[in-house]
Structures are given as C-alpha cells and as structure tokens.
Amino acid sequence: MNAVVLRRTCRAEWTKLRTETGWWWLLLVLVSLTVAVGAATAGGVRCCGGDPAWLALSGVTVGQAVVVVLAVLCAGGEYGTGMMQVTLTAVPARTTVLAAKAAVLSAVVAVAGGVAVLGSLVAGHLLLPGSPALTDGPALRAALGSVLYLVLIAQLALGVTFAVRDGAVASGAVLAMLYLFPLISHVVTDPWLQRQLARAGPMPAGLAIQATTDLERLPIGPWPGLGVLALWTATALLLGGTVLRRRDA
C-alpha cells in the first residue's frame, strides 16, 4: 500500500466528512446522548453500591447505535448515491479506500467518543456517592476501553457495510449483532448458557472493559472481552475488504 496515496485518500475522505452537515449533528447526538443516559443512570442511584464507572458509562450502550449510523453512512451513503464508482475510479487500489475510510472514521469516533466518555465520567463523579477519582487506574482503563469499544464498533459497522453494500441492511445487521446476545441471555434460564453468550457476544464481551469492581465475577475479563469484539471487527473488515476487491461498485 503506497503511503502517499493513502495519505491523499485519507485527506479526500476527511474532506467528504467535514462537508457533510449531517455528520456533525450525529456526532453531537453521540456525545449528548451518551452523557445524558450515563448521568441519568448515575443520578438514579440513591445509595452506595454497584460499579461507579460502569453506571456512569452506561450511556455507551445507547451511543453506540449512533456510531453504527455514522459508520454505515461513511460507505453506505456512497453506494446509495453511486459516488462509490467515482471514489474507486479516483483510487483504483480498493484496499487503500477501505483503509482510508477506516482511519478517518476511527479518528472522528475516537475524538467524539473521548468527549462523551469524559463527560459521562465527570457526571458520574458528581452524582454518584463514593465515586472514585477520575485518575484512578481502573477508571482510566474503563474510560480508554470505552473509547476503543466505540472505535471497534465503528469499524465493525464499516466492514459489514462494505460486505452487504446497503445502508439499511447493514444498520439492521450490526444492531442485531450487538443487541441480540444480551436479549437472548435475558430469555434463557441456563446460567452456563447465559455466561457463554456474555463471553461470545460483541457487545456484552466488549463492555466488560468498563468494569472496575468484582472482576472475578465477570464472565470474561475486561481486556479479553475487548479482544472478542476486536475479533468480530477484524472478521467484518476482512469480509468487507474481500467483497470490495472482488465485486464491482
């Protein structure tokens, strides 16, 4: 992959992004919704107990839906309007196109996600009784991990979008992939099966990174859980990249 071509393609993708007004509104919704849900959850706790970081960062489970929409628009919008043909004509190296979109999307989601996570932790620190300091080691790990979680969700959605080439289908598929495992785990009654679903699902496994207390009771550890999500994301990107290389736009 030519570094110069990649840099120019990234610049072109950034130009597309910053000239789209809808993107900025979605980023604002991502930040405000994540902080609002986290603050509401933290404010609803009337006494000590529970995991403060987990409660404060609960808005990530809602904000990730906005991240999915952002990622799907990154590629699905071009397929819908036919602009993808123009993009691939300008940059014939299709792997470069995928890498550039992934890089720009990751940077934007990381910045917006960082603001959302920081706002959520500040709100939680102010609202939750006995909340640890924001510089506490586990809290920092939960914060950094939550930002990485949102970035991985964006890449997962991007890979699926390139694979199916339809924004609506991609959005539905990714959201089902995320929320289906927790829903099934609430329906089944077998504790062993519930634990396996929590270990294998991209959302429950990935969100283990937010836990700061009682780690030994988790179905999967914080970093291994994020690793499970990374495997889902890598598989989606590999599939999307394969389809992109082998099929016409």
Side-chain angles (χ1 to χ4, degrees):
M1 186 182 299
N2 191 301
V4 175
V5 175
L6 177 60
R7 185 167 61 251
R8 291 176 178 173
T9 308
C10 286
R11 189 180 299 119
E13 291 299 328
W14 168 242
T15 300
K16 294 177 189 177
L17 171 61
R18 65 184 176 84
T19 54
E20 287 286 344
T21 307
W23 271 76
W24 301 107
W25 283 109
L26 283 172
L27 292 174
L28 179 61
V29 171
L30 166 62
V31 173
S32 57
L33 187 61
T34 302
V35 175
V37 172
T41 303
V45 177
R46 299 303 179 187
C47 63
C48 298
D51 187 330
W54 190 295
L55 293 170
L57 294 171
S58 59
V60 171
T61 61
V62 180
Q64 66 180 347
V66 182
V67 171
V68 171
V69 174
L70 283 166
V72 168
L73 287 177
C74 185
E78 290 195 44
Y79 277 116
T81 60
M83 276 296 296
M84 186 59 72
Q85 293 181 346
V86 178
T87 298
L88 296 179
T89 299
V91 186
R94 301 190 175 196
T95 303
T96 301
V97 173
L98 177 59
K101 285 185 179 293
V104 172
L105 179 64
S106 294
V108 171
V109 171
V111 172
V115 174
V117 166
L118 179 60
S120 298
L121 287 177
V122 170
H125 184 71
L126 296 174
L127 295 171
L128 281 170
S131 179
L134 298 180
T135 55
D136 181 67
L140 285 175
R141 186 254 299 151
L144 175 62
S146 294
V147 176
L148 290 174
Y149 174 86
L150 290 174
V151 171
L152 287 172
I153 291 297
Q155 300 306 309
L156 173 65
L158 183 67
V160 172
T161 304
F162 271 109
V164 302
R165 301 186 169 202
D166 184 283
V169 174
S171 297
V174 176
L175 292 176
M177 197 182 303
L178 293 176
Y179 294 107
L180 186 60
F181 283 86
L183 288 175
I184 294 177
S185 66
H186 281 86
V187 174
V188 300
T189 57
D190 185 357
W192 181 86
L193 183 55
Q194 289 177 339
R195 188 176 183 85
Q196 299 312 308
L197 288 170
R199 291 169 61 91
M203 176 176 163
L207 287 178
I209 195 67
Q210 296 179 343
T212 60
T213 62
D214 298 325
L215 299 185
E216 66 281 356
R217 298 183 181 180
L218 294 175
I220 190 170
W223 290 113
L226 200 65
V228 170
L229 174 58
L231 288 175
W232 280 85
T233 299
T235 301
L237 287 173
L238 180 61
L239 179 61
T242 301
V243 173
L244 180 63
R245 289 194 303 270
R246 295 185 177 182
R247 291 178 58 186
D248 293 333

